[in-house]
Amino acid sequence: MSQSINKNEWPLWEVFIRSKAGLDHKHAGSLHAVDAKMAIENARDVYTRRMEGVSIWVVESINIIASDPEEAEALYEPAADKVYRHPTFYNLPDEVKYM
Amino acid sequence: MTEQHLYNYCLRMGDNALILSYRLSEWCSNAPMLEEDLALTNFALDLIGRAQAILKYASELQGGVKTEDDLAYRRGEREYYNHLITELPNGDFAQTMVRQLFISAFEFYFFTELQKSTNVTLSAIAAKTLKEVKYHLMHATDWVIRLGDGTAESHKRMQDAINYLWMFTGELFEMDLIDTVLIEKGVGVDLMLLQPKWHRHIQQVMYDATLLIPEEGFMQTGSRKGIHTEYLGHILSEMQYLQRTYPDAIW
């Protein structure tokens, strides 16, 4: 993976916010910061101003490995005709709720 | 203790928050980077919230004749009691951060003590404020260390800011009759006891930032008596423009 880095620019970080205890961290966006500590502080100021979260994860964007869009066909389309992988063909007993 | 003492005490605290909030809000859209722009305006919002709570309490002490808005927007320059350091222009980013460090460190110790106040309103405001101040202090400390211990240029700017602002720090610890009366009643904070704590705190940050505290010298004074630098008048002329031009305007 090639990524050109402008030396005058601070590294980019991806921000993940947990909105409340028990829930997963969700990707909220990205920001610039010189190190992890500043990234956390900046994330707090940029992404939790309206009580969006109770916990923050940050990770430098260059450390994220993304799947290749060119391979999307091979990666995802084979799943399209396999609806039986969804558990929709079972008759659920009435006693089982919240499924 | 007269209500008047407590009222004046509240004005001091309220005005400190109001005027610093105004200064910090001037960074809106002007900060060195977007993330910092939001941080500084967040601080400004924390401070305006604090000013509102305290001035509202001041207004209640006087029977609500003047609302908190009247107090904020319809007093004259000589009726403001904010510390001079809060009204100084932002200068460069270094100066803004050094000012924030000096003030936030003071506020950290001040509101820690004020939490113990026998006045329940003030102790409640102090508890809420302290959470905000801890973050302000952390943020300012980080920047002072980064820039102090940064490049030759950033180090110089930090040291220049410290050398300029130092003479405005003595005022933070000035006390008069109002303080004495309120301390006796367990309402106010003894600033004399805060000074060594504040000084040690700043010394530690300066050490980490490879910066120097200036030698003791002349200290500015005046705000206790409503005497200000030339800058406050300019702040008020802009801040109060709407209320002065269109009294009681609502939206």
Side-chain angles (χ1 to χ4, degrees):
Chain A
M1 189 173 71
S2 71
Q3 185 158 1
S4 65
I5 295 171
N6 182 344
K7 284 214 168 124
N8 293 321
E9 262 201 18
W10 292 354
L12 192 65
W13 299 73
E14 300 301 323
V15 179
F16 300 83
I17 306 280
R18 181 202 290 274
S19 58
K20 58 179 176 183
L23 296 182
D24 296 337
H25 285 75
K26 284 219 166 65
H27 187 232
S30 53
L31 47 74
H32 289 95
V34 294
D35 59 25
K37 188 167 193 294
M38 189 193 279
I40 290 276
E41 281 184 33
N42 287 349
R44 183 262 189 194
D45 285 319
V46 176
Y47 292 111
T48 69
R49 309 166 63 224
R50 301 182 182 88
M51 304 193 301
E52 289 94 335
V54 294
S55 166
I56 300 171
W57 286 353
V58 291
V59 59
E60 241 190 291
S61 306
I62 54 166
N63 292 324
I64 291 190
I65 315 299
S67 62
D68 187 348
E70 300 268 309
E71 295 170 357
E73 247 177 53
L75 289 175
Y76 312 116
E77 285 190 16
D81 60 354
K82 299 180 178 65
V83 288
Y84 50 83
R85 286 177 179 165
H86 290 279
T88 49
F89 299 95
Y90 301 95
N91 291 322
L92 282 180
D94 291 341
E95 289 77 13
V96 182
K97 291 173 181 162
Y98 312 118
M99 284 290 282
Chain B
M1 176 183 69
T2 64
E3 294 278 289
Q4 190 64 34
H5 288 127
L6 185 56
Y7 174 72
N8 283 328
Y9 200 70
C10 288
L11 288 187
R12 289 175 187 174
M13 287 189 287
D15 291 348
N16 278 331
L18 179 70
I19 301 302
L20 185 61
S21 171
Y22 179 88
R23 277 301 186 211
L24 287 173
S25 72
E26 288 180 326
W27 275 107
C28 188
S29 82
N30 293 311
M33 69 292 289
L34 180 144
E35 292 83 355
E36 194 58 33
D37 207 289
L38 279 162
L40 291 171
T41 42
N42 280 348
F43 290 11
L45 283 171
D46 289 344
L47 285 157
I48 197 84
R50 190 200 309 172
Q52 193 182 19
I54 296 172
L55 292 179
K56 184 164 184 290
Y57 181 52
S59 143
E60 287 164 10
L61 287 172
Q62 299 264 298
V65 184
K66 289 180 171 182
T67 67
E68 65 266 31
D69 284 335
D70 293 331
L71 291 177
Y73 298 112
R74 296 198 189 172
R75 273 180 294 154
E77 189 187 346
R78 292 291 300 270
E79 300 165 293
Y80 276 79
Y81 301 102
N82 57 285
H83 295 130
L84 302 180
I85 193 170
T86 62
E87 71 201 36
L88 298 176
N90 288 327
D92 57 7
F93 187 67
Q95 192 175 314
T96 293
M97 279 303 135
V98 171
R99 182 184 63 194
Q100 199 60 46
L101 172 70
F102 287 169
I103 293 176
S104 293
F106 169 78
E107 289 181 340
F108 173 73
Y109 291 107
F110 180 83
F111 287 110
T112 300
E113 287 304 309
L114 192 67
Q115 278 189 118
K116 304 171 195 157
S117 173
T118 54
N119 180 303
V120 289
T121 307
L122 292 189
S123 75
I125 290 173
K128 179 176 184 292
T129 299
L130 198 55
K131 291 177 196 161
E132 297 167 349
V133 167
K134 279 180 186 168
Y135 186 74
H136 302 173
L137 180 58
M138 182 170 95
H139 191 82
T141 303
D142 278 359
W143 271 116
V144 169
I145 294 172
R146 276 177 205 285
L147 296 174
D149 192 17
T151 65
E153 172 74 12
S154 72
H155 179 87
K156 180 183 178 302
R157 284 183 182 231
M158 293 306 282
Q159 191 62 58
D160 287 349
I162 291 159
N163 295 347
Y164 168 61
L165 291 172
W166 189 251
M167 65 179 159
F168 294 96
T169 59
E171 212 191 22
L172 301 173
F173 304 99
E174 276 181 18
M175 294 203 285
D176 60 11
L177 182 68
I178 294 174
D179 297 273
T180 318
V181 170
L182 293 181
I183 290 165
E184 269 173 26
K185 298 285 175 189
V187 172
V189 174
D190 190 340
L191 301 177
M192 217 152 60
L193 300 178
L194 296 194
Q195 189 155 25
K197 293 182 192 174
W198 179 86
H199 201 275
R200 266 199 305 276
H201 187 112
I202 298 298
Q203 226 163 11
Q204 182 60 48
V205 178
M206 292 296 127
Y207 178 79
D208 293 341
T210 71
L211 294 162
L212 295 172
I213 292 180
E215 283 173 27
E216 291 307 320
F218 171 73
M219 285 288 175
Q220 295 282 354
T221 180
S223 74
R224 283 281 189 269
K225 299 187 179 72
I227 296 167
H228 290 275
T229 66
E230 65 268 40
Y231 304 114
L232 183 67
H234 293 283
I235 290 178
L236 296 184
S237 67
E238 190 175 317
M239 194 176 84
Q240 299 184 334
Y241 169 79
L242 195 81
Q243 272 304 318
R244 299 281 190 190
T245 313
Y246 306 102
D248 302 320
I250 53 167
W251 63 304

